[in-house]
Amino acid sequence: MHSIFGHVEPKTWDDMERQFRCVILAEAGSGKTEELRYRASFLAEQGKPSFFIRIEDIKTDFYEAFEIGEETQFKEWLESTEEAWFFLDSVDEARLENPRTFEKALLRFAKGIKVAAHRAHIYLSSRPYSWRPRDDRRLLNKILFLATIQEEKNEENQKPEPQSALTIYTMLPLNEEKIRRFCTEREAKDIDRLLQEIERANLWSLAERPFDLEGILVKWAEDGVLGGRLELLRHNIDKRLRDDHNSDRVQRQPLNLEQAREGVRRLAAAVVLSGQAGLNVPDAAPMKLGIEAESVLADWDPRDVRALLERGVFNDIIYGAVRFRHRDVRELLAAEWFDSLLKTGNSRHSVEALFFREQYGEKVIAPR
């Protein structure tokens, strides 16, 4: 289900399938790709022209990028009078290396459907921080504009100016019912007790996103208990540092777990102290939007720095930079780094000086 900005009432896919231009915003790990892929398959099984495409794969003949749908079906739709449904995933992936990649892909797509664009239901997904509300809305309306039906008239009794049909939605997190269904699909053991453990440890904020719920289920399968929030966070951090969550972008550079822990703690501290969320990836597109991770880890091999930034504690690389996937994870890692400073002989005063400074005889938070 999705929630439209400015409205309280949630929308279902049945509601949204009647709309023609939609953007769906959802955090990393929320399952937006699977949602779009599933819906494309669902409509295709009903015999409707339905297509799932990764935006970054759109080339000159964009129908070669169809993961769901066929070129012959697409061409038959162009020559018909039917409506079709296009699920484009995702804006942030299309901007991995260059911000203009998204625009170029949209232009190719728009050119391909031009003769039937008024019959195309189009859904784009993005992470919230990759979506530029003003610029991207303007860009979409420029390339794929479709007017919504307006009944009002202006004072001169003339037709009103056409209004865009584009609507922005956010994806709702999993509720308890959907978490239970997810656990059932994953064949988790003793689901009632698992949900009680989630409630006891106040872990709903982690369980509401499929990516993190998978981590909870791994801990549950291994230990039969979740422990406290701190224990689960540390378990998930170690798991994400050990493996690459099967992402195609990971270069599988091996990392020592203890070294990886020390590295992410230093990076988390740099983010907390600087107030900058992004960490620039070595050898990636030089957008210079965040902290130079290579400088923070100056004693590391640059290949190891990149390998670390490709682990699952971070989101995917966007504009040559990454962010920590969770605020809880970032703050825990930073706290562990500050704690290590105290345990290795640094005075409490020197550590506090990283956060506070004296002004007029009183301590104030140091500017970032």
Side-chain angles (χ1 to χ4, degrees):
M1 296 177 69
H2 306 81
S3 176
I4 186 172
F5 285 135
H7 292 265
V8 175
E9 183 181 357
K11 302 286 184 179
T12 66
W13 272 115
D14 289 338
D15 298 322
M16 295 180 63
E17 282 166 12
R18 294 189 289 270
Q19 300 192 36
F20 283 85
R21 300 290 185 271
C22 296
V23 171
I24 300 168
L25 303 179
E27 296 288 348
S30 60
K32 60 184 181 299
T33 297
E34 291 306 313
E35 280 281 332
L36 267 63
R37 184 184 285 113
Y38 172 81
R39 208 61 197 178
S41 296
F42 176 81
L43 292 174
E45 289 170 2
Q46 293 183 330
K48 297 179 179 180
S50 178
F51 308 90
F52 176 87
I53 314 169
R54 293 181 184 272
I55 299 175
E56 72 269 22
D57 291 338
I58 295 177
K59 308 301 181 186
T60 303
D61 297 325
F62 77 87
Y63 42 74
E64 294 180 359
F66 290 160
E67 292 187 22
I68 295 174
E70 301 290 341
E71 176 185 348
T72 55
Q73 184 184 23
F74 171 73
K75 290 182 176 179
E76 288 173 0
W77 168 71
L78 282 180
E79 296 172 358
S80 74
T81 58
E82 296 181 7
E83 297 176 356
W85 286 260
F86 294 88
F87 298 86
L88 310 183
D89 185 62
S90 69
V91 172
D92 39 280
E93 292 288 342
R95 286 174 166 159
L96 289 181
E97 299 296 339
N98 191 312
R100 289 209 61 205
T101 304
F102 172 55
E103 180 178 355
K104 291 178 179 178
L106 277 186
L107 287 169
R108 294 188 189 105
F109 174 74
K111 182 179 179 181
I113 67 167
K114 184 175 181 179
V115 298
H118 61 289
R119 295 187 278 112
H121 299 260
I122 301 171
Y123 308 86
L124 293 92
S125 73
S126 177
R127 294 176 188 172
Y129 64 78
S130 297
W131 175 255
R132 303 171 302 181
R134 181 179 301 174
D135 293 342
D136 286 342
R137 180 185 284 273
R138 185 184 300 117
L139 179 65
L140 277 176
N141 281 328
K142 176 183 176 182
I143 297 174
L144 291 166
F145 181 82
L146 185 70
T148 188
I149 298 174
Q150 296 287 323
E151 297 181 357
E152 298 85 357
K153 295 185 179 181
N154 60 24
E155 294 179 357
E156 285 88 17
N157 203 31
Q158 296 175 342
K159 291 183 179 180
E161 289 294 321
Q163 299 296 311
S164 172
L166 178 62
T167 309
I168 314 296
Y169 291 90
T170 56
M171 182 178 286
L172 293 173
L174 298 178
N175 57 26
E176 184 173 345
E177 176 188 350
K178 292 182 178 179
I179 291 172
R180 178 182 289 275
R181 191 185 311 165
F182 187 100
C183 295
T184 300
E185 289 293 324
R186 293 295 189 272
E187 299 182 346
K189 305 297 184 183
D190 201 354
I191 294 175
D192 286 338
R193 190 165 67 87
L194 170 59
L195 296 181
Q196 290 172 3
E197 280 281 287
I198 292 174
E199 173 68 28
R200 178 195 60 78
N202 190 25
L203 297 172
W204 293 113
S205 62
L206 292 177
E208 66 187 12
R209 297 201 289 193
F211 182 85
D212 299 302
L213 183 52
E214 291 279 13
I216 290 176
L217 293 183
V218 169
K219 177 77 162 60
W220 183 250
E222 291 176 354
D223 302 337
V225 295
L226 297 182
R229 188 180 186 87
L230 178 61
E231 180 183 343
L232 181 64
L233 283 172
R234 284 176 168 161
H235 177 276
N236 285 349
I237 288 169
D238 283 354
K239 181 179 186 303
R240 303 306 179 196
L241 291 177
R242 284 192 188 97
D243 57 47
D244 52 29
H245 58 88
N246 299 318
S247 174
D248 292 338
R249 63 182 172 83
V250 175
Q251 299 174 355
R252 298 183 182 276
Q253 174 85 355
L255 284 177
N256 174 275
L257 179 59
E258 194 56 43
Q259 177 194 19
R261 283 197 197 110
E262 192 266 341
V264 291
R265 287 168 181 166
R266 283 162 62 180
L267 292 173
V271 168
V272 169
L273 291 174
S274 69
Q276 297 185 66
L279 292 158
N280 294 336
V281 178
D283 301 323
M287 295 298 292
K288 304 301 181 186
L289 296 179
I291 300 167
E292 292 297 335
E294 200 170 0
S295 297
V296 177
L297 301 177
D299 53 330
W300 282 42
D301 185 312
R303 292 172 298 177
D304 289 339
V305 177
R306 184 176 183 108
L308 180 64
L309 296 176
E310 289 173 334
R311 292 310 195 256
V313 293
F314 300 101
N315 289 330
D316 291 337
I317 300 171
I318 306 294
Y319 293 160
V322 299
R323 297 184 180 203
F324 279 95
R325 186 176 292 275
H326 280 307
R327 178 177 177 178
D328 286 352
V329 167
R330 181 189 70 204
E331 293 182 350
L332 171 60
L333 290 168
E336 289 177 340
W337 186 76
F338 296 127
D339 182 59
S340 71
L341 294 182
L342 294 172
K343 289 179 177 177
T344 53
N346 292 277
S347 70
R348 187 176 188 86
H349 177 76
S350 65
V351 174
E352 286 183 350
L354 297 172
F355 297 93
F356 305 101
R357 62 179 171 80
E358 294 285 339
Q359 183 173 356
Y360 308 123
E362 297 183 359
K363 282 188 176 182
V364 297
I365 297 176
R368 295 177 177 177

